[in-house]
Amino acid sequence: MCGIAGCTGDSAAAEHVIESLKRLEYRGYDSAGITLGGTLLRTVKVSGTVDHLKKTLFSGDHRGTRGIAHTRWATCGEPTAENAHPHLSCDGGISVVHNGIVENFSELKDELSASGHVFLSETDSEVIPHLIEHYYDGDPLRSTALALRRLTGTFAVAAVFARHPEVIVCAAGGSPVVIGLDEKRTFVASDVQALSPYTRRIIRLDDGEIALLTPGAAQVYAAADLQPRRKEIVLLPAETVSSGKGGFEHFMLKEIMEQPVCCGNALKDRLDLSRGMVVFPGLGLSVRELSRVSRIVIAGCGSSIHAGLTGAYCFEDLAGIPVSVEQASEFRYRNPVLEPETLVLALSQSGETADTIAAVREARMKGAWVIAVCNVTESTIAREADSVIPLLAGPELSVAATKSFTSQLIVLYLLALYAGRGRRLPQETVLRLLREAGDIPALVRRVLEQAPLIERLAKRYAWADDLFYIGRGNLYPVALEGALKLKEISYAHAEGYHAAELKHGPMALLDEHVPVIALVDPACEAEKICGNIRECRTRKAPVIVFAADGFPPDGPAVRDVVRVPACSRYLLPVVMAVALQLFAYYFARARGCPVDRPRNLAKSVTVE
Ligand code: M6R
C-alpha cells in the first residue's frame, strides 16, 4: 500500500517526482525514498514523510533528468530507511520501487541468496531488483518482464537502469500504474492526481502490461510475450485538486466545514421537485428496472461500511428491498449467493480499496449489476463497476473520512427514494421527503455553528482512554462511525455498540473512567435509549448525549448534552455524524495527535 512516482526527460526531475510523491501520501507516509540520475544512480531513503525526504534530498546533490520515488505504508519490514524503497541490485545498477505484495518472496530470496545475491532489507520488494539483475542480458524490458513472471502477488513497479540512462520500465500486475506524457517528458505514478500538475495526457496500464518510458514517449507491451499493445491516450479534465488547508489548522477540520457545500453537491441535479422525482444521470438503471431488484448487497470497508449500514435502513423502510451489508474483505471468500436480480452497491471514497475492488470483481463475475458509489471517478472501482454515482465531495485529504461519509449517506438516501418511487412510495411522500432533503445543507450548517460548544466538551473529556458510543435504529451505525472516527485520530479506545447490547457483556467495563456517548433521536425509541443511559449512569459512567432537539426534558439527568437540529429520521444520521466528527477532531487535537495523518494508517488501503 504505497505510492510510486517517476519522471524522465527533465532537469527538474527531483522536484517533479517529489511533488508527485506528496500527492500520493494518502497511500502511505511512514518512509520514503528516491533514486536520481543517469549512468550514476544516487539513492536517498528516509524513515518518515515525503517532507523529510525532500529536506534530506535538497540539502545535497539532487541533479538528474530521471528519477523514481516511493512513499511507503509498511507491510513487510518496519518503516526504517533500510526498508524504504527504492531497492537496488547487488551492483547498484538497477533500482526499483514497488507497490503491492510479493507473496513468494521467501522462496525467491532463498533461491537468489544461494546464487550469491545479498539483501539489505527485510522487505518482500527487494527480491525484484535482484531478480531483474539475475535475468539482465542488456535488455531492460525483457529482464524486468522475466523477473515479474516469477512473482506471485500484486505489483506496480518502476525500475531504472544505470546502463540505460534515460529509460524507466514500469509494469502493472494488480496495482495501478498511470503514465503521463508531454512533448519532452514522461511521467509514471500510482494515480492521475500525482501527474496532474504536469500533463493531462495519460495512458493507463492494464494488469499484465509493461512499458518502456523514454523522454516524451511510452511503448506498451504485454508482459507475457512482449507483443506491442496499442494504447489510447486519455485527456484528463483540468486539475481540480485543492491542495491547501484554506486557513484551517488541519485538512480534517476544513473537510468537516465543507460539508454544507458537499451535501449540496450530492443533492444538486438529483432532486426534481417539479416532478417529485430523484434523477441519477448515467445510472444505467431505470426506476422500473430498479423496482425489479430483489435484493441489494452493499459492500465496503471502514466508514463506507457504516454508511452502507445506515443506507440499509432507508432501502428497507422506503423501498421495501431486503439489504445485506457485507464487509468487502469477507465478501469474495465466502462464495456469496447473488441472484440475477441482486443489485450490488460498492461504496468507496477512494475507489482504490483492495478489498472493495475484489468484491466488485466477484459480484460482476457472478452476473450482478454493480453500482459504484465513489468520490474518485477516475478510480479502479468506478471504472470497473457497471455504473457510477459520484459523491461530488471534492478531494478528501485527511485520513479520516468526513465529507465523503455524509455524501455517501445522502446518495444512499436518494437511491432508496429512487427505488421506492418504483415500488411502494406514493409520489406525494417522495416529494415531501425530497423537500426535506433539500434542507440538509442548512441543517449541517447549524451543527457546525455548535463547534465551540463541542470543542469545550471534547477538551473536558480528552483524558478518557476508553469510550463507548451507543445508538439505536439508524443511529446505531452512526455510533459505530463516531467510535471509528475517535479511535483512528485520537488513539483512545472507542467502541460503537447498539444501546441494547451493552448489557450483554461490555457493561462490565463501565465505571467513572469510561464515558459513554449516547445518540438519541427523541422521535424514535427515546424511552428505550433513556433507559440505557440510566443503566450507564447507575454504573457511574459519565454520559454525553448527542440528541436532536426535543430530547425529553424528563429524560435521565445528564450534564453534557449536544443538541442537533430536529429533522426527518432519515436525515438525522447526517446531522449527527457531523457533530461526532467535530467531537473526534477536537478530542484528538486536545490530545496533541497528528489529526490528518494518524500513525499506522493510510488514506487508501490498497492491500487486502
Ligand atoms: O476509500 P474507502 O471508502 O474505500 O476507504 C475505506 C476505509 O479505509 C475508510 O473509510 C477508513 O475506514 C477511514 N479512514 C475512516 O475514517
Side-chain angles (χ1 to χ4, degrees), residues 301-304 347-353 356 381 399-401 408 481 484-485 488 601-605:
C301 300
S303 294
S304 290
L347 303 192
S348 177
Q349 185 286 129
S350 61
E352 297 296 350
T353 300
T356 314
I381 291 175
V399 164
Q408 284 172 333
E481 173 61 9
L484 172 62
K485 214 87 306 172
E488 73 174 324
L601 300 181
K603 180 71 177 159
S604 179
V605 183

Coordinates of all heavy atoms in Angstrom, one line a residue, residues 301-304 347-353 356 381 399-401 408 481 484-485 488 601-605, ligand 1:
C301 N -15.7 -0.9 3.2 CA -14.8 -1.1 4.4 C -14.9 0.2 5.2 O -15.2 1.3 4.7 CB -13.4 -1.3 3.9 SG -13.1 -2.7 2.9
G302 N -14.6 0.1 6.5 CA -14.4 1.2 7.4 C -15.7 2.1 7.3 O -16.8 1.6 7.5
S303 N -15.4 3.4 7.2 CA -16.6 4.3 7.2 C -17.6 4.0 6.1 O -18.8 4.2 6.3 CB -16.1 5.7 7.0 OG -15.3 6.1 8.0
S304 N -17.1 3.5 5.0 CA -18.0 3.2 3.9 C -19.0 2.1 4.3 O -20.2 2.2 3.9 CB -17.3 2.8 2.6 OG -16.6 3.9 2.1
L347 N -19.4 0.7 -2.1 CA -19.1 2.1 -1.5 C -17.7 2.3 -1.3 O -17.0 1.5 -0.6 CB -19.9 2.2 -0.2 CG -21.4 2.0 -0.2 CD1 -21.9 2.5 1.2 CD2 -22.1 2.7 -1.3
S348 N -17.1 3.4 -1.8 CA -15.7 3.6 -1.5 C -15.4 5.1 -1.8 O -15.7 5.6 -2.9 CB -14.8 2.8 -2.4 OG -13.5 3.1 -2.2
Q349 N -14.9 5.8 -0.9 CA -14.4 7.2 -1.1 C -13.4 7.2 -2.2 O -13.5 7.8 -3.2 CB -13.9 7.8 0.2 CG -13.5 9.2 0.1 CD -12.2 9.6 -0.6 OE1 -12.2 10.4 -1.5 NE2 -11.1 8.9 -0.3
S350 N -12.3 6.4 -2.0 CA -11.1 6.4 -2.9 C -11.3 5.7 -4.2 O -10.7 6.0 -5.2 CB -9.9 5.8 -2.1 OG -10.2 4.5 -1.8
G351 N -12.1 4.6 -4.1 CA -12.3 3.8 -5.2 C -11.1 2.9 -5.5 O -11.0 2.2 -6.5
E352 N -10.1 2.8 -4.5 CA -8.9 2.0 -4.7 C -8.8 1.0 -3.5 O -7.7 0.4 -3.4 CB -7.7 2.9 -4.7 CG -7.6 3.9 -5.9 CD -7.5 3.2 -7.3 OE1 -7.3 2.0 -7.3 OE2 -7.7 3.9 -8.3
T353 N -9.8 0.9 -2.7 CA -9.6 -0.1 -1.6 C -9.6 -1.5 -2.1 O -10.5 -1.9 -2.8 CB -10.8 0.1 -0.6 OG1 -10.7 1.5 -0.1 CG2 -10.7 -0.8 0.6
T356 N -12.5 -3.9 -1.5 CA -13.8 -3.5 -2.2 C -13.6 -3.7 -3.7 O -14.6 -4.2 -4.4 CB -14.1 -2.0 -1.9 OG1 -14.0 -1.8 -0.5 CG2 -15.6 -1.7 -2.3
I381 N -12.4 1.2 -8.9 CA -13.8 0.7 -8.6 C -14.8 1.4 -9.6 O -15.7 0.8 -10.2 CB -14.2 1.0 -7.2 CG1 -13.3 0.0 -6.3 CG2 -15.7 0.8 -6.9 CD1 -13.5 0.2 -4.8
V399 N -6.9 11.6 6.5 CA -7.1 10.1 6.5 C -8.6 9.8 7.0 O -9.2 8.9 6.5 CB -6.1 9.4 7.4 CG1 -6.5 8.0 7.8 CG2 -4.8 9.4 6.7
A400 N -9.1 10.6 8.0 CA -10.4 10.3 8.5 C -11.4 10.7 7.4 O -11.4 11.8 6.9 CB -10.6 11.1 9.7
A401 N -12.4 9.8 7.1 CA -13.4 10.1 6.2 C -14.4 11.0 6.9 O -14.9 10.7 8.0 CB -14.1 8.8 5.7
Q408 N -22.0 10.0 1.1 CA -22.5 8.6 0.9 C -23.9 8.4 1.5 O -24.8 7.8 0.9 CB -21.5 7.6 1.6 CG -20.2 7.4 0.8 CD -19.3 6.5 1.6 OE1 -19.3 6.5 2.8 NE2 -18.4 5.8 0.9
E481 N -19.6 4.6 13.5 CA -18.8 5.6 12.8 C -18.1 6.6 13.8 O -17.0 6.9 13.6 CB -19.6 6.3 11.7 CG -19.0 7.4 11.0 CD -17.7 7.0 10.2 OE1 -17.5 5.8 10.1 OE2 -17.0 7.9 9.7
L484 N -15.3 4.9 15.4 CA -14.1 4.7 14.5 C -13.4 6.0 14.3 O -12.1 6.0 14.4 CB -14.7 4.2 13.1 CG -13.6 4.2 12.0 CD1 -12.5 3.2 12.3 CD2 -14.3 3.8 10.7
K485 N -14.1 7.1 14.1 CA -13.5 8.4 13.9 C -12.6 8.7 15.1 O -11.5 9.2 15.0 CB -14.6 9.4 13.8 CG -14.3 10.6 12.9 CD -14.7 10.3 11.4 CE -14.1 9.1 10.9 NZ -14.5 8.7 9.6
E488 N -9.4 6.3 15.5 CA -8.3 6.4 14.5 C -7.5 7.7 14.6 O -6.3 7.7 14.3 CB -8.9 6.2 13.0 CG -9.7 7.4 12.5 CD -10.0 7.1 11.0 OE1 -9.2 6.5 10.2 OE2 -11.1 7.6 10.6
L601 N -1.7 4.3 9.7 CA -2.8 4.3 8.7 C -2.4 4.9 7.4 O -1.3 5.5 7.3 CB -4.0 5.1 9.3 CG -4.6 4.5 10.6 CD1 -5.8 5.4 11.0 CD2 -5.0 3.1 10.5
A602 N -3.3 4.7 6.4 CA -3.1 5.4 5.1 C -4.5 5.8 4.7 O -5.5 5.1 5.1 CB -2.4 4.5 4.1
K603 N -4.6 6.7 3.8 CA -5.9 7.1 3.3 C -6.6 6.1 2.5 O -7.8 5.8 2.5 CB -5.8 8.4 2.5 CG -7.1 9.0 2.0 CD -8.0 9.5 3.1 CE -9.2 10.2 2.5 NZ -10.3 10.2 3.6
S604 N -5.7 5.4 1.7 CA -6.3 4.4 0.7 C -5.6 3.1 1.0 O -4.4 3.0 1.1 CB -5.9 4.9 -0.7 OG -6.4 4.0 -1.6
V605 N -6.4 2.1 1.3 CA -5.9 0.8 1.7 C -5.9 -0.2 0.5 O -6.9 -0.8 0.2 CB -6.8 0.2 2.9 CG1 -6.2 -1.1 3.4 CG2 -6.9 1.2 4.0
Ligands
M6R1 O1 -11.8 4.8 0.3 P1 -12.7 3.8 1.0 O2 -14.1 4.4 1.4 O3 -12.9 2.5 0.3 O4 -12.0 3.5 2.4 C1 -12.5 2.6 3.3 C2 -11.8 2.8 4.6 O5 -10.5 2.5 4.6 C3 -12.0 4.2 5.2 O6 -13.3 4.6 5.3 C4 -11.4 4.3 6.6 O7 -12.1 3.5 7.5 C5 -11.3 5.8 7.1 N1 -10.0 6.1 7.5 C6 -12.3 6.1 8.2 O8 -12.2 7.4 8.6

